[in-house]
Amino acid sequence: MSTLVTPFTDKRMAEIVEKVQNGVRLSVEDGVYLYQTDDLLTLGQLANEANLRKNGKKVYFIENMSLYFTNVCEARCAFCNFRKDQGEEGSYTLSGAEMIDYVEQHIHPGVREFHIVGGHNNHVPFQYYVDSLRALNEKYPEVTLKAYTAAEIDFFTRISGLSIKEVLQELQKAGLKSLTGGGAEILSDEYRKKMRVDKANVDRYLEVHRTAHNLGMRTHTTMLYGSIESYEDRVNHMVQIRELQDETNGFMVFIPLSMQPKSKSASIMRRNSAYEDLKTIAISRLMLDNIQHVKAYFINIGPQLTQVALSFGASDVHGTIVREKISHAAGALTPEGLTRKELIWLVKGAGRIPVERDTFYNEIQVYE
């Protein structure tokens, strides 16, 4: 039975409500309309219904730690403030031993996952990236390695001469268990040209994940929104992810990432509104009917809006993270990480049930 309480007179919204409640897949036109409507409450309630059918009141998080082996990058994406040139002040490239030293200083009991991304550093060979994972895997065999974006995998094919499959197989031998979702940005080659996304194009991004899924890996995927893209660009992005999921069923979670300005002092007008963030999470939940989870990423939207997002279709709040760097280099004003206790408080404060998970959404502990 419907839990919708918002009265609406808009015929178009009524048609979408009927579609969702009857399990009929939404079209691109439906998704664009949902971005255009000002009926935020009906949209939120509809996404909440869709999420409750999939996940009940459970909201997932993981004890994880973000690691960055290098910030040296050949790409010069217009939105990135993390990258450095080789030799530039603040640039670094850590060895496996140096990263282990860093982890030893900052790791806390219960960490189950290393979330590893970094620059496209063409001053080191592909073997460096393999050895980096191997060093961590040998030191912390109990911690899952979720490493590299599809764009990084594509970059590895260019510096190694290997195919996507061969690159992934070499990394799997070193301990890789899952790919991160980054590098998607907006899946439009026109957007990527305008935003100087000097890395994997749309086809290559999707092909990396397709190949990973065919090798037995389950992966994550993202969308970076809030710059020059249109509503149609965003919805088309979701549809391309949905179509690949129909083919492989390899995505575990979709992560809408709210674009950050390049400076922490940037005005409120240079940031996405809370209204836009909630809409995007809700529309993601409704469009991506074949992906189990939609994540509210507190690093980009803040802990309090993350709580609200749990009533707008989100079923995951990411994890403890420990010193996030990429969004904060681009002007994020949020905490660099949260503790397990804080995440549990955040979820319970939204009237939901916190569930500690592993990388693959196996439940570790339910905090009733």
Side-chain angles (χ1 to χ4, degrees):
M1 182 179 293
S2 173
T3 59
L4 289 173
V5 296
T6 306
F8 51 84
T9 56
D10 188 294
K11 181 182 176 182
R12 190 79 176 85
M13 179 63 86
E15 291 171 350
I16 291 174
V17 169
E18 185 176 3
K19 273 189 172 184
V20 172
Q21 293 180 339
N22 288 287
V24 177
R25 177 165 280 183
L26 299 187
S27 66
V28 170
E29 292 74 22
D30 293 330
V32 171
Y33 170 82
L34 290 174
Y35 266 116
Q36 293 169 336
T37 184
D38 61 1
D39 192 354
L40 182 65
L41 293 182
T42 298
L43 170 59
Q45 289 176 83
L46 198 57
N48 186 49
E49 274 196 11
N51 177 51
L52 289 174
R53 285 199 297 269
K54 282 186 176 292
N55 301 297
K57 288 196 169 185
K58 290 182 175 180
V59 173
Y60 295 80
F61 71 91
I62 188 170
E63 286 265 15
N64 67 346
M65 186 173 182
S66 290
L67 304 180
Y68 311 85
F69 273 91
T70 181
N71 63 352
V72 175
C73 190
E74 66 171 13
R76 297 178 178 275
C77 304
F79 47 78
C80 183
N81 207 38
F82 173 76
R83 68 160 309 279
K84 300 287 185 183
D85 288 322
Q86 177 84 339
E88 182 181 350
E89 184 179 355
S91 65
Y92 64 87
T93 302
L94 303 181
S95 67
E98 289 171 323
M99 181 57 80
I100 287 170
D101 287 342
Y102 172 85
V103 172
E104 289 286 279
Q105 293 172 36
H106 298 100
I107 198 169
H108 53 82
V111 167
R112 299 180 182 278
E113 173 188 280
F114 292 138
H115 176 106
I116 303 166
V117 294
H120 298 192
N121 186 345
N122 57 357
H123 298 276
V124 292
F126 171 56
Q127 193 62 41
Y128 163 81
Y129 296 95
V130 176
D131 292 343
S132 296
L133 293 192
R134 182 173 290 115
L136 284 174
N137 193 47
E138 290 176 353
K139 178 68 175 178
Y140 305 100
E142 74 285 358
V143 180
T144 300
L145 298 186
K146 183 181 77 178
Y148 306 134
T149 66
E152 286 174 277
I153 300 299
D154 177 64
F155 166 70
F156 297 158
T157 67
R158 290 191 285 107
I159 62 173
S160 68
L162 300 175
S163 67
I164 292 172
K165 182 178 180 180
E166 290 167 335
V167 164
L168 289 170
Q169 287 174 325
E170 287 301 307
L171 293 171
Q172 283 181 305
K173 291 175 188 175
L176 179 69
K177 294 297 189 293
S178 179
L179 297 182
T180 70
E185 323 315 355
I186 293 291
L187 293 176
S188 157
D189 284 328
E190 181 180 358
Y191 166 94
R192 297 169 100 76
K193 182 178 180 180
K194 288 179 179 178
M195 292 295 286
R196 304 197 310 276
V197 182
D198 302 328
K199 52 191 178 185
N201 63 20
V202 173
D203 288 342
R204 291 290 282 183
Y205 180 89
L206 295 172
E207 186 59 30
V208 167
H209 281 281
R210 177 182 290 109
T211 305
H213 298 166
N214 289 336
L215 287 172
M217 274 195 277
R218 304 192 71 211
T219 67
H220 309 69
T221 189
T222 63
M223 178 180 74
L224 182 66
Y225 65 92
S227 58
I228 64 168
E229 81 281 354
S230 65
Y231 290 153
E232 189 169 8
D233 287 334
R234 295 183 193 176
V235 178
N236 278 326
H237 177 111
M238 296 175 196
V239 168
Q240 290 179 85
I241 295 299
R242 189 172 71 184
E243 289 173 347
L244 181 55
Q245 181 74 343
D246 280 342
E247 178 186 336
T248 66
N249 196 34
F251 290 121
M252 295 179 285
V253 59
F254 182 76
I255 311 159
L257 298 173
S258 186
M259 178 78 79
Q260 303 298 301
K262 283 196 172 185
S263 169
K264 290 187 177 183
S265 62
S267 74
I268 189 173
M269 292 185 292
R270 298 300 299 268
R271 300 174 183 274
N272 285 324
S273 68
Y275 187 83
E276 193 79 359
D277 290 332
L278 289 176
K279 268 195 169 186
T280 299
I281 288 168
I283 293 167
S284 299
R285 178 63 285 161
L286 295 173
M287 293 299 300
L288 294 163
D289 51 39
N290 56 0
I291 293 180
Q292 190 70 24
H293 297 286
V294 171
K295 183 176 293 186
Y297 189 50
F298 73 82
I299 287 292
N300 284 22
I301 67 173
Q304 289 167 306
L305 191 60
T306 293
Q307 284 185 311
V308 179
L310 300 182
S311 294
F312 278 72
S315 59
D316 188 284
V317 292
H318 197 57
T320 48
I321 300 178
V322 187
R323 300 198 175 186
E324 192 280 338
K325 293 183 180 180
I326 292 178
S327 291
H328 285 88
L333 300 175
T334 55
E336 292 182 338
L338 292 174
T339 66
R340 179 199 279 117
K341 285 184 177 180
E342 288 171 325
L343 287 168
I344 292 169
W345 174 87
L346 184 153
V347 174
K348 284 188 172 182
R352 301 293 163 119
I353 301 168
V355 181
E356 186 174 351
R357 64 172 175 86
D358 67 9
T359 299
F360 307 102
Y361 286 86
N362 297 308
E363 296 184 4
I364 305 302
Q365 185 170 350
V366 180
Y367 297 87
E368 295 283 3

